[in-house]
Amino acid sequence: MKAVVLLGPPGSGKGTLAERLADKLDLVHLSTGDMLRDEVARGTDLGREAKKYMDGGELVPDQLILDMVGGRLTGPRGVLLDGFPRTRAQAEGLEEYTAVDAGLFLELSRDEVVRRLSSRRVCKECGANYNLLTKPPAEDGRCDRCGGELYQRPDDTVEVIARRYDVYLKDSAPLVEYYEKKGILVRVDGSRSPDDVYTQALSALGNA
Ligand code: ADP
Ligand code: ZN
């Protein structure tokens, strides 16, 4: 496969699914959110610019995203895209680099999004995700994997989560129909356990 696109609201579990799926399907996992947070942490020009949008839950402008991710789309291996494309312009831009085999839509209700994201904690060192309600770390405030400090993303506050969800509905949700029209959309129930989501996704892609 050349490219699989993950669609779904913030907090629907794209990152968690992407890691396992990429491994199994031998795809390179590209998360634009992780790439941007890395730019922010390194204090690059792009990071400084992107942070203005990210902290308020707004989308980073399409051209910045396409410039950042474009070079990673043309390697010899296929890609699993997590958090990209998020607008119609990005979806069209993507097609100039590579064909898309499938759009995998992780469905999740707004209430569940808010519940999950407000209890999410992330490792400062390795980026591992925890959830205080469903997947707490063994030791308070420390990463199980590397011992790093856990923090709450600045965009995981209740107000910014609400804004991100609205932006998702307006700009990104229409991509579901976009890929449906192309006949390459598959749906997975994102409210299930990570194992169930993974199993469903694999079989859905087998039929894609
Ligand atoms: P989530 O999916 O949980 O909202 P991400 O980590 O994917 O979080 O993205 C965090 C933020 O990074 C977004 O709210 C947005 O500001 C920015 N971002 C990530 N990917 C894109 C993209 N493809 N286009 C525009 N902005 C993006
Ligand atoms: Zn860690």
Side-chain angles (χ1 to χ4, degrees):
M1 281 199 275
K2 290 215 169 314
V4 174
V5 166
L6 293 184
L7 303 170
S12 55
K14 297 189 292 289
T16 305
L17 172 64
E19 280 185 23
R20 291 179 68 179
L21 214 51
D23 197 44
K24 173 82 177 171
L25 302 176
D26 193 29
L27 299 170
V28 179
H29 173 200
L30 290 182
S31 158
T32 45
D34 287 348
M35 290 167 79
L36 289 168
R37 278 184 290 279
D38 184 58
E39 298 280 343
V40 172
R42 289 189 290 121
T44 64
D45 287 348
L46 170 59
R48 269 198 298 276
E49 181 64 19
K51 188 173 172 15
K52 296 187 218 158
Y53 300 93
M54 294 168 73
D55 283 352
E58 306 297 331
L59 293 184
V60 175
D62 291 331
Q63 199 53 53
L64 292 181
I65 297 289
L66 285 164
D67 288 347
M68 174 179 79
V69 82
R72 313 270 300 264
L73 297 173
T74 52
R77 290 175 63 199
V79 288
L80 183 60
L81 299 171
D82 163 10
F84 171 87
R86 246 181 169 85
T87 63
R88 180 160 183 135
Q90 291 180 19
E92 290 170 354
L94 167 62
E95 287 159 21
E96 298 187 5
Y97 292 98
T98 177
V100 176
D101 301 278
L104 197 157
F105 176 33
L106 270 175
E107 304 190 75
L108 197 68
S109 71
R110 183 190 186 113
D111 285 355
E112 184 62 16
V113 164
V114 174
R115 201 178 71 89
R116 283 192 190 177
L117 291 184
S118 49
S119 50
R120 171 162 72 180
R121 296 294 181 274
V122 183
C123 174
K124 251 182 190 157
E125 303 303 324
C126 76
N129 277 233
Y130 296 86
N131 186 294
L132 299 183
L133 302 174
T134 57
K135 192 191 163 201
E139 188 192 339
D140 232 16
R142 291 275 155 211
C143 178
D144 294 347
R145 218 193 263 174
C146 77
E149 191 187 324
L150 302 185
Y151 77 112
Q152 182 170 35
R153 273 170 46 175
D155 58 349
D156 277 347
T157 60
V158 173
E159 305 77 52
V160 183
I161 292 167
R163 179 64 193 149
R164 283 159 66 202
Y165 195 84
D166 290 344
V167 168
Y168 163 76
L169 279 187
K170 177 172 161 290
D171 291 320
S172 308
L175 292 177
V176 170
E177 201 185 327
Y178 180 83
Y179 289 112
E180 201 156 42
K181 282 200 174 126
K182 291 183 184 287
I184 57 172
L185 186 81
V186 296
R187 294 171 185 267
V188 169
D189 178 359
S191 71
R192 310 287 292 273
S193 71
D195 280 352
D196 281 0
V197 168
Y198 172 67
T199 313
Q200 276 187 62
L202 265 190
S203 74
L205 284 176
N207 298 329

